[in-house]
Amino acid sequence: QLVNKAAQLNMPALAITDHGVMYGVIDFYKACKKAGIKPIIGCEVYVAPNRRTERVPGRDDNNRHLILLAENQEGYQNLLKLVSQAHIDGFYYKPRVDKELLREHNKGLIALSACLAGEVSQHLLNDQMEMAVRSALEYEEIFGKGNFYLEVQNHGLEEELKVIRGMFQVHEQTGIPMVATNDVHYINREDAFIQDVLICIQTGKTLTDSARMSFSSEEFFLKSEEEMELLFG
């Protein structure tokens, strides 16, 4: 359904970036090829705050997100290695990589700074501009100039607007290019309620539970080029 909707919207390419895993990439790749859409294989990895082998409660479970996209065959192989190692020796609540591992398997990959849970975004939310710039430059050094992008999103969340303003400043200070993305958790806007129900089933909660996990907006659907232009044009 995702691929069919992208085809209807005349999108030339579509990426898959599941959290920490790559279970869906084969089905995704086949569906994209069938619909004439370029499949971009990726993963939203969890980056350990220290070494991936460290497991101190309250410290090493504070992961940061990072988007990795395979640019070519070498990048795909490196992505497989990263995700495998994240499970084999980096697993602590989540499968985790660290910067040492990213340096070892950085070829053929394009990285984005990710959502609000990304390292650069977190520094910006905490008003740590100097650290945000330092983090961005470190990731650019790991992946190479032109292979790391500052990512901005706008799903109507207040924190995102703060991050967007901050990312522009990081961009101005570093020259690192920016990219606007939309996080897709369901296909159409009206699917938001059904996704809410599914989260309740997954987490063992009810819709009436005010303390449960839920998305605070209905903007996590597959947006058209025109809808993205309205947000970021």
Side-chain angles (χ1 to χ4, degrees), residues 23-232:
Y23 307 139
V25 300
I26 301 299
D27 290 338
F28 172 82
Y29 180 88
K30 288 178 178 177
C32 283
K33 283 293 189 182
K34 189 175 178 183
I37 287 177
K38 180 180 180 178
I40 299 172
I41 306 301
C43 184
E44 185 164 7
V45 297
Y46 297 98
V47 182
N50 302 289
R51 290 180 64 84
R52 67 186 182 280
T53 51
E54 294 180 20
R55 292 167 173 80
V56 178
R59 186 193 71 177
D60 292 316
D61 46 345
N62 188 24
N63 306 306
R64 294 286 176 256
H65 295 194
L66 182 72
I67 297 289
L68 298 178
L69 305 171
E71 185 179 12
N72 49 36
Q73 183 65 27
E74 184 181 19
Y76 178 63
Q77 294 299 326
N78 276 323
L79 194 58
L80 292 177
K81 288 173 185 173
L82 286 165
V83 173
S84 296
Q85 286 303 125
H87 282 81
I88 293 166
D89 58 17
F91 201 98
Y92 184 60
Y93 291 96
K94 308 278 187 187
R96 307 171 309 154
V97 300
D98 58 19
K99 289 175 182 174
E100 178 189 38
L101 197 63
L102 291 173
R103 281 188 168 89
E104 287 175 22
H105 303 291
N106 59 0
K107 297 286 190 294
L109 290 172
I110 292 171
L112 316 181
S113 63
C115 56
L116 292 175
E119 186 177 321
V120 182
S121 298
Q122 283 294 303
H123 287 318
L124 292 173
L125 287 171
N126 293 324
D127 299 312
Q128 300 165 320
M129 177 56 70
E130 194 178 320
M131 291 181 73
V133 168
R134 201 181 306 156
S135 290
L137 288 171
E138 184 180 17
Y139 277 118
E140 185 182 51
E141 179 262 318
I142 290 172
F143 293 99
K145 216 168 183 62
N147 294 326
F148 176 68
Y149 289 79
L150 300 171
E151 184 174 1
V152 290
Q153 298 181 338
N154 185 358
H155 306 97
L157 309 180
E158 199 174 318
E159 301 96 322
E160 287 176 330
L161 299 179
K162 182 177 181 178
V163 166
I164 290 171
R165 289 192 294 270
M167 284 294 185
F168 269 103
Q169 291 180 47
V170 175
H171 162 69
E172 286 168 359
Q173 290 188 43
T174 63
I176 297 171
M178 297 178 70
V179 61
T181 70
N182 201 73
D183 205 357
V184 179
H185 283 260
Y186 38 89
I187 298 165
N188 305 301
R189 186 192 295 273
E190 57 268 24
D191 297 334
F193 173 70
I194 299 301
Q195 193 235 8
D196 204 26
V197 171
L198 288 169
I199 289 176
C200 284
I201 294 169
Q202 183 185 11
T203 55
K205 304 288 185 180
T206 64
L207 288 167
T208 54
D209 188 342
S210 58
R212 67 186 174 82
M213 176 190 170
S214 64
F215 281 48
S216 50
S217 90
E218 298 181 349
E219 297 294 323
F220 293 88
F221 63 96
L222 184 64
K223 289 189 169 75
S224 66
E225 183 181 352
E226 291 73 25
E227 287 168 318
M228 291 297 283
E229 282 283 349
L230 285 173
L231 285 174
F232 295 104

